[in-house]
Amino acid sequence: RKEVEQDPGPFNVPEGATVAFNCTYSNSASQSFFWYRQDCRKEPKLLMSVYSSGNEDGRFTAQLNRASQYISLLIRDSKLSDSATYLCVVNANAGNMLTFGGGTRLMVKP
Amino acid sequence: EAGVTQFPSHSVIEKGQTVTLRCDPISGHDNLYWYRRVMGKEIKFLLHFVKESKQDESGMPNNRFLAERTGGTYSTLKVQPAELEDSGVYFCASRSLLQYSPLHFGNGTRLTVT
């Protein structure tokens, strides 16, 4: 089993839709969780950190479920510009190494 | 604040040649990471420096890859001799020592080995 797993998608949704992605992690001792966004041929950019109590940034909501070992990203009112690959990143061990999931591709259609 | 910078942005070399990639982290970031994305695959960890020390190099594919960070500032990743399967995008990232601090990525170096 991979340390960090994501559904690769693609998720094809119409503008204005709400879409959610999950990311599961295998190491129960993981402490830091992040969502990154990567556009084609570009570097990953931090979208948001994921806090234990869940957090929201505009149309984006991130949640952590430690019992089931997954994090989620909810995007409301999808825009065309949200089309990208969303990467889940987990600090999967105590050595400060951050492990990437394979990414979930989102395509928002007009 | 300047971000993470990488050089070159793109390199095309022939099999058997040598290439050296450079990364300048954000000033003050002691953690420096190298990652690689091969076409169609997920981003894979290569190695991690804390200041000038290699904290974890478990992701380095083989001894053709050599990373250094003399003085704990910029880092270089040398591939010698390059093979076709080394083609991909090499990302450098840095973060502070603060717990829960996120990674900041450079633009990446796209390496093509022909």
Side-chain angles (χ1 to χ4, degrees):
Chain A
R1 182 186 172 188
K2 288 184 179 180
E3 285 189 66
V4 181
E5 288 198 79
Q6 295 182 252
D7 181 342
F11 283 59
N12 295 298
V13 302
E15 266 188 294
T18 295
V19 62
F21 315 131
N22 281 346
C23 165
T24 59
Y25 59 94
S26 60
N27 189 335
S28 59
S30 299
Q31 296 183 1
S32 306
F33 308 89
F34 308 93
W35 283 105
Y36 279 76
R37 170 196 169 127
Q38 186 174 28
D39 293 287
C40 189
R41 293 179 175 264
K42 300 283 184 132
E43 76 277 17
K45 290 192 185 290
L46 179 68
L47 181 65
M48 57 198 303
S49 302
V50 185
Y51 302 123
S52 297
S53 55
N55 46 301
E56 188 175 303
D57 183 0
R59 297 182 293 109
F60 299 86
T61 301
Q63 293 200 310
L64 167 64
N65 185 318
R66 284 195 184 276
S68 301
Q69 293 182 207
Y70 73 87
I71 64 172
S72 64
L73 177 67
L74 180 81
I75 305 175
R76 288 182 299 278
D77 189 23
S78 299
K79 312 289 184 194
L80 295 177
S81 57
D82 293 335
S83 298
T85 296
Y86 290 83
L87 299 162
C88 165
V89 182
V90 176
N91 182 181
N93 60 32
N96 223 12
M97 185 172 87
L98 292 162
T99 302
F100 283 77
T104 296
R105 190 168 170 215
L106 172 66
M107 298 185 69
V108 182
K109 309 280 188 172
Chain B
E1 176 187 83
V4 178
T5 56
Q6 291 187 246
F7 181 84
S9 57
H10 195 176
S11 179
V12 181
I13 61 172
E14 293 183 355
K15 176 181 170 180
Q17 290 186 319
T18 297
V19 63
T20 300
L21 315 181
R22 172 171 170 144
C23 168
D24 286 76
I26 290 173
S27 178
H29 280 191
D30 289 330
N31 285 299
L32 186 149
Y33 303 78
W34 283 99
Y35 287 87
R36 176 173 74 170
R37 185 165 206 163
V38 172
M39 179 76 76
K41 303 281 183 71
E42 66 266 32
I43 294 176
K44 290 276 198 186
F45 167 81
L46 294 177
L47 89 160
H48 168 213
F49 284 99
V50 176
K51 298 184 181 178
E52 67 275 11
S53 299
K54 289 177 185 173
Q55 185 79 4
D56 185 341
E57 52 184 330
S58 60
M60 295 286 261
N62 50 61
N63 58 11
R64 296 186 293 104
F65 289 74
L66 175 63
E68 295 181 323
R69 194 183 181 195
T70 307
T73 54
Y74 72 90
S75 174
T76 57
L77 178 64
K78 182 162 73 173
V79 185
Q80 178 184 32
E83 297 289 345
L84 298 178
E85 65 264 25
D86 300 333
S87 296
V89 182
Y90 290 77
F91 290 107
C92 174
S94 72
R95 66 191 290 217
S96 74
L97 285 177
L98 293 173
Q99 196 176 20
Y100 310 124
S101 63
L103 284 171
H104 298 268
F105 280 84
N107 293 336
T109 294
R110 182 171 296 277
L111 175 64
T112 304
V113 182
T114 61

